[in-house]
Amino acid sequence: MDGIVTEVAVGVKRGSDELLSGSVLSSPNSNMSNMVVTANGNDNKKFKGEDKMDGAPSRVLHIRKLPGEVTETEVIALGLPFGKVTNILMLKGKNQAFLELATEEAAITMVNYYSAVTPHLRNQPIYIQYSNHKELKTDNTLNQRAQAVLQAVTAVQTANTPLSGTTVSESAVTPAQSPVLRIIIDNMYYPVTLDVLHQIFSKFGAVLKIITFTKNNQFQALLQYGDPVNAQQAKLALDGQNIYNACCTLRIDFSKLVNLNVKYNNDKSRDYTRPDLPSGDGQPALDPAIAAAFAKETSLLAVPGALSPLAIPNAAAAAAAAAAGRVGMPGVSAGGNTVLLVSNLNEEMVTPQSLFTLFGVYGDVQRVKILYNKKDSALIQMADGNQSQLAMNHLNGQKMYGKIIRVTLSKHQTVQLPREGLDDQGLTKDFGNSPLHRFKKPGSKNFQNIFPPSATLHLSNIPPSVAEEDLRTLFANTGGTVKAFKFFQRDHKMALLQMATVEEAIQALIDLHNYNLGENHHLRVSFSKSTI
């Protein structure tokens, strides 16, 4: 199974060299369930070419240009992501095969997918088209080994457990794991998009579906391959690797799921076999052509500091995502993406300082302007496009001062300061030289501790004289309830403190980050991924 590679190309066509003729079809009473036959070179003499091209879909697919040494398992694996494979006929002497799926719909989905992404087996392109036959009738006594392979693979697909008591020859290794990987990204300083994941994981085989989500305050993804073997290869190669230098570490496991159900094609989820899916929530679906075209141009881009152990060629993954306006890379201009528009603010409570403190968790805020004629909205300028993307991803939809805020990318390139001598009632503030920037120092540990808003807060820089009760009282005075508290065992300068809700924790962070605890100690507050 080594060396199975999938590359993007075009080429599903209906050929004139189909080989299955009526002379080898068995009686109508043939058992069609889980039946596999391999025809050897001599059997091929029985088959005649067919020139009929009716173009009609069929659940039987004709696969051509197979490498000579390819196994039944590899051919079956092509069909597994699309549905149950019910039969296979290998024509070894002709380097061809017929694959029967349980339904015509599954076959149509498979052909549609492989029309955009030409499958490669053992580094050779192969071609898939509809057969002129509506079902594959074969003599199930011809090849017991091939039948065992299909039964084994089918059992793995449905149960996702290694089979006991099924012996299959080594040339037809049965994948014992799921084709679906669960991916967790640690130390996510730079935003990692669905397109970046697709670019990285596509190196190991056809990626069919991706779903991204946040769970336990961590960015996670489920990614489905066309072949469980590709999932295994990707896990071996990528687990523990960093996407970018010193951050965005991949933690990879096999999922218990064997198939992902994707409803929408957008920033959060994508089914590459179903380009017709709606984007949902009014989000425009990403145009894959844009990302693909941009990826070809990446040889022109220098991306200092972004190349990684994953060796994304010329950071093509990040650049493709940048082309879609999703993410800015260091060294790559992110256009107007450094400025955020924040709306639905509580205009009675919000100040430039409170926005600086909250958005400063995700980047170094340069300027804040609360709009004079629309005081429930503000423009926030971050140090770069990565930081604005990160802040938008984590803070859009969160509650601040009792209102759910909306965070989007602004069309403005910069936040203008008021003309000298003009009083704008303190609505605009320049924080460019603030000593409170968390990310000014290259390689700071703060880069590794960026998490979504959570009820649990991480406190640091606590002086020895301050006790648990002092901190509990301090945080309760922000208007929330302190549910739990724990000093770090080895270092009483740090602690975890849990508020009743995420909204309360956001309020406490705004009020108490940089709070003077005495003895020249200013409290540092950030969101934690831990719970107490």
Side-chain angles (χ1 to χ4, degrees), residues 17-21 35-37 47-48 50 59-64 66 75-76 85 87-91 96-101 129-133 135-136 138:
D17 51 354
E18 278 206 6
L19 298 172
L20 193 61
S21 75
M35 211 187 301
V36 186
V37 179
F47 291 82
K48 297 185 293 188
E50 291 190 8
R59 66 191 182 99
V60 179
L61 301 176
H62 179 208
I63 304 170
R64 301 180 296 114
L66 289 169
V75 176
I76 292 167
V85 176
N87 209 344
I88 182 172
L89 176 65
M90 298 279 285
L91 306 174
Q96 303 190 17
F98 290 88
L99 195 68
E100 180 188 87
L101 280 82
Q129 64 207 49
Y130 297 118
S131 167
N132 289 332
H133 294 277
E135 58 181 4
L136 196 54
T138 47

Side-chain angles (χ1 to χ4, degrees), residues 183 193-199 201-202 207-212 220-224 260 262 264-272:
I183 302 156
T193 65
L194 184 144
D195 300 289
V196 169
L197 291 176
H198 183 260
Q199 186 84 17
F201 282 82
S202 288
V207 174
L208 304 188
K209 303 171 187 178
I210 305 177
I211 297 172
T212 64
Q220 301 192 23
L222 292 168
L223 182 146
Q224 182 176 340
L260 300 178
V262 176
Y264 302 113
N265 283 339
N266 55 31
D267 293 352
K268 300 280 195 297
S269 62
R270 195 79 50 80
D271 185 337
Y272 296 92

Side-chain angles (χ1 to χ4, degrees), residues 194-263:
L194 184 144
D195 300 289
V196 169
L197 291 176
H198 183 260
Q199 186 84 17
I200 293 166
F201 282 82
S202 288
K203 293 178 181 303
F204 299 90
V207 174
L208 304 188
K209 303 171 187 178
I210 305 177
I211 297 172
T212 64
F213 54 96
T214 299
K215 185 178 179 184
N216 300 331
N217 294 326
Q218 280 188 308
F219 178 84
Q220 301 192 23
L222 292 168
L223 182 146
Q224 182 176 340
Y225 276 105
D227 185 341
V229 172
N230 299 142
Q232 191 164 17
Q233 290 169 340
K235 182 180 184 300
L236 286 171
L238 298 177
D239 189 28
Q241 296 278 14
N242 292 335
I243 298 176
Y244 307 123
N245 278 348
C247 71
C248 302
T249 309
L250 292 164
R251 305 285 177 214
I252 304 171
D253 274 311
F254 290 103
S255 170
K256 291 186 174 69
L257 301 169
V258 291
N259 186 47
L260 300 178
N261 181 22
V262 176
K263 293 179 180 174

Side-chain angles (χ1 to χ4, degrees), residues 426-445:
L427 296 175
T428 306
K429 191 147 186 197
D430 188 350
F431 294 96
N433 296 316
S434 171
L436 298 180
H437 285 156
R438 296 179 187 242
F439 307 106
K440 198 179 283 183
K441 192 173 158 191
S444 161
K445 279 187 179 175

Side-chain angles (χ1 to χ4, degrees), residues 336-411:
N337 287 3
T338 58
V339 180
L340 296 167
L341 172 64
V342 187
S343 55
N344 202 41
L345 292 163
N346 183 332
E347 56 186 273
E348 304 295 322
M349 305 286 290
V350 73
T351 63
Q353 182 66 46
S354 63
L355 290 169
F356 167 78
T357 303
L358 180 57
F359 281 74
V361 173
Y362 300 105
D364 293 339
V365 175
Q366 303 300 301
R367 294 176 180 177
V368 177
K369 179 191 284 287
I370 294 173
L371 302 186
Y372 186 80
N373 293 322
K374 196 173 181 353
K375 293 190 173 63
D376 69 344
S377 300
L379 294 173
I380 300 177
Q381 183 177 335
M382 308 295 284
D384 63 38
N386 301 301
Q387 296 179 1
S388 58
Q389 183 78 38
L390 208 53
M392 181 175 76
N393 288 350
H394 287 316
L395 294 176
N396 181 40
Q398 296 290 349
K399 263 191 174 182
M400 180 183 183
Y401 296 123
K403 297 190 75 172
I404 294 173
I405 63 171
R406 296 285 163 227
V407 186
T408 57
L409 296 173
S410 168
K411 62 179 184 291

